[in-house]
Amino acid sequence: MCWRCCWCFSWASIRHCKDEREKYTTSPRKCDLVRLQVQNVDKPLYRGTFHCFQSIVRQESMLGLYKGIGSPMMGLTFINAIVFGVQGNAMRRLGSDTPLNQFLAGASAGAIQCVICCPMELAKTRMQMQGTGEKKSKRKVYKNSLDCLVRIYRKEGFRGINRGMVTTLVRETPGFGVYFLAYDVLTRSLGCEPEDPYMIPKLLFAGGMSGIASWLSTYPVDVIKSRLQADGVGGVNKYNSIMDCVRQSLQKEGWRVFTRGLTSTLLRAFPVNATTFATVTLFLMYMRDGEECRIQDSEPQSVQLQPLQQQTQPTSM
C-alpha cells in the first residue's frame, strides 16, 4: 500500500494505490450530503456529523454542501403534490377521521410517491458521492441529476434507475403512515384552531415533530436503501441482495450501523417538515374559507329563487 494514501484523501493521491482506490470508491454511504458522507465502512473519513460538515466546507467550499440539489428541486414538488393529494383523497374514501385511517391514508400516499422518490434519491446519492474532498472535481462522471439518470438508464436499463425500490417502499409506506398519524395526534393535543393566536407556532412544532417521528421509525431501512443505491459506483458491486447488505453491514459495524448519519437527518427533518405541514395546512384553511365565503354569498339568491324547494327539503343544505 502506498504510504501517501494514509495522509491524503484526494483522488490524485489515491490513484497511486489501486487497492486503496477500490476500497475508497466502493464504500457505501447514505443520501443527503452530510448524512451520505459521514459513513465509510472500510476507512471512515469523518468522525461525526459536525466534523463531516467542517471538512466539506474546508475541502469543497460552501458549494460542496449543495451537491445533488438539482434532483430534489425537480422531484420534491411532484412528491409533495402526490403525497398530500393522495392522503386527502384516501381520507375522503375512508370516511371517518380516526388515527387508524390517518395512518392508512398516509401509508398509501407514501407507497405511491415511491415512483418518483426512488429515482430522485438515486440521482441525489450518485451526485453527492462524486468529487468527494475536491474543491473542483477533476473527474465528473455526471454533469447533473438528469444526466445521471440518463446514464444509469443507458447502462442498466429501467431496473437500474429503480435500484432500491423495494427498500424505498418498505421505508416510505410505514414512514408516511407515522408521519400523518403523528401530525394528527399532535395538532389535536395542542388544539390548533383557526382562532388560536398561537396556531402557527403550534403547527410548526407539530410538523417538525412528525418529521422526526417518521424518520426514527424507519431510519434503519433508509441506511440499507442508501447503501444499495450507492453500491457499484466504483465498478464493483459489494451486495447481492437486501439481506446480504444487512448481513455485511452488521458484521463490519455492528448494530450502530443503523444510526449512522441520524443526527444530520433529524437536524434537517424538523425545519423541513415544520414548514411543509404549516404551509399546506394554512393554504388549505385559506382555500376552504374562500369556498365558504362564496357559498354564503350565493345563498340569498338561491333562497329567493327556490323558497318552496328549501321548505320541502330542509336536509338538502
Side-chain angles (χ1 to χ4, degrees), residues 120-188:
M120 182 198 77
E121 292 199 350
L122 175 65
K124 181 174 65 174
T125 300
R126 298 293 178 90
M127 286 294 297
Q128 288 175 347
M129 288 184 65
Q130 72 174 358
T132 303
E134 297 179 350
K135 190 169 184 179
K136 192 173 182 180
S137 181
K138 298 177 181 178
R139 296 180 58 187
K140 281 191 176 182
V141 181
Y142 311 115
K143 298 178 182 178
N144 49 53
S145 299
L146 183 60
D147 179 63
C148 176
L149 289 176
V150 170
R151 287 176 178 270
I152 293 173
Y153 178 77
R154 289 176 179 173
K155 185 177 180 180
E156 305 177 46
F158 184 76
R159 185 176 180 180
I161 62 174
N162 287 284
R163 180 189 291 270
M165 178 63 77
V166 175
T167 47
T168 303
L169 279 167
V170 174
R171 182 194 70 175
E172 300 290 74
T173 303
F176 273 94
V178 173
Y179 189 49
F180 283 97
L181 173 61
Y183 185 73
D184 180 66
V185 171
L186 286 170
T187 50
R188 290 178 187 272

Side-chain angles (χ1 to χ4, degrees), residues 121-286:
E121 292 199 350
L122 175 65
K124 181 174 65 174
T125 300
R126 298 293 178 90
M127 286 294 297
Q128 288 175 347
M129 288 184 65
Q130 72 174 358
T132 303
E134 297 179 350
K135 190 169 184 179
K136 192 173 182 180
S137 181
K138 298 177 181 178
R139 296 180 58 187
K140 281 191 176 182
V141 181
Y142 311 115
K143 298 178 182 178
N144 49 53
S145 299
L146 183 60
D147 179 63
C148 176
L149 289 176
V150 170
R151 287 176 178 270
I152 293 173
Y153 178 77
R154 289 176 179 173
K155 185 177 180 180
E156 305 177 46
F158 184 76
R159 185 176 180 180
I161 62 174
N162 287 284
R163 180 189 291 270
M165 178 63 77
V166 175
T167 47
T168 303
L169 279 167
V170 174
R171 182 194 70 175
E172 300 290 74
T173 303
F176 273 94
V178 173
Y179 189 49
F180 283 97
L181 173 61
Y183 185 73
D184 180 66
V185 171
L186 286 170
T187 50
R188 290 178 187 272
S189 301
L190 295 171
C192 298
E193 300 296 336
E195 62 274 7
D196 188 352
Y198 300 104
M199 183 189 68
I200 294 179
K202 289 180 179 180
L203 290 176
L204 291 171
F205 177 77
M209 294 305 297
S210 300
I212 289 177
S214 176
W215 274 109
L216 288 175
S217 65
T218 58
Y219 192 77
V221 182
D222 179 72
V223 175
I224 302 303
K225 177 204 72 70
S226 299
R227 294 191 169 205
L228 288 171
Q229 289 185 332
D231 189 33
V233 173
V236 179
N237 291 312
K238 297 181 62 176
Y239 309 119
N240 298 322
S241 62
I242 297 173
M243 293 308 300
D244 182 53
C245 179
V246 173
R247 181 182 58 80
Q248 290 192 41
S249 299
L250 283 173
Q251 285 181 350
K252 292 182 180 180
E253 303 170 75
W255 65 270
R256 291 182 180 275
V257 65
F258 297 117
T259 62
R260 282 184 176 271
L262 181 60
T263 302
S264 58
T265 301
L266 298 182
L267 288 174
R268 182 198 66 170
F270 189 91
V272 169
N273 293 287
T275 54
T276 298
F277 256 126
T279 302
V280 172
T281 303
L282 292 172
F283 177 78
L284 291 176
M285 289 175 60
Y286 174 79

